[in-house]
Amino acid sequence: MKLSKLIIAATLFVVTANANDVMQKSMSTMEKGMTQIQQGFLNNNLGLIKEGTKLVKEGNALFSDKKVISQYLPDNKKHMVNVAENASKRISLDINELEVNLDNKAFINAANSYSDMLNACSSCHSIVRSW
C-alpha cells in the first residue's frame, strides 16, 4: 500500500513539474517574441517583427492546452483556466491580424494588433495572478 502511494505521489510530482516546465517555456518564449515585436516597431525592422511573431506563435501553442494550463494553475485558481484559454485565443487572432496588416503595409493597424496582444497578456496575468 505504501509503495502504491509513493508511486502515485512521484507521478503527480513529475506531471506537475513537467507542466511548470511547459508553462515556463511558453511564457519565456512569448516574452522574447513580444520584446522582438516591440523592438521591430521601434526600429522599423520588419524582420524583427516577423521573428517575434513566430516566437509568440510557438509560445502560445504550448500555452493553449487546457490540461497544461490547469496543471500549472494553483488549486485556488484552477477555475480560471477559461480566462487563460480565452487570452490564448485572443493572442492567436491578434497574431494573424498583425501578419495580415504587415503584408498590407498597414503598420498602424499592425501596431494596434500588437497592443491588443499585450493587453490580452496583461489581462490574463492580472486576473489569474491576482495583480
Side-chain angles (χ1 to χ4, degrees), residues 46-94:
L46 290 177
L48 202 52
I49 295 170
K50 290 179 180 182
E51 287 175 31
T53 301
K54 288 179 188 174
L55 287 174
V56 172
K57 279 184 179 180
E58 180 185 321
N60 197 40
L62 294 171
F63 183 64
S64 61
D65 183 357
K66 235 178 171 177
K67 290 180 184 176
V68 174
I69 296 168
S70 180
Q71 289 173 349
Y72 173 73
L73 294 173
D75 288 338
N76 65 339
K77 301 284 182 161
K78 289 200 187 297
H79 64 284
M80 294 185 175
V81 71
N82 289 334
V83 171
E85 183 186 31
N86 288 337
S88 177
K89 288 177 184 177
R90 183 173 162 194
I91 290 166
S92 185
L93 290 172
D94 287 328

Side-chain angles (χ1 to χ4, degrees), residues 107-122:
F107 300 117
I108 292 174
N109 291 338
N112 288 337
S113 297
Y114 167 75
S115 180
D116 194 63
M117 258 194 291
L118 190 58
N119 286 334
C121 294
S122 297

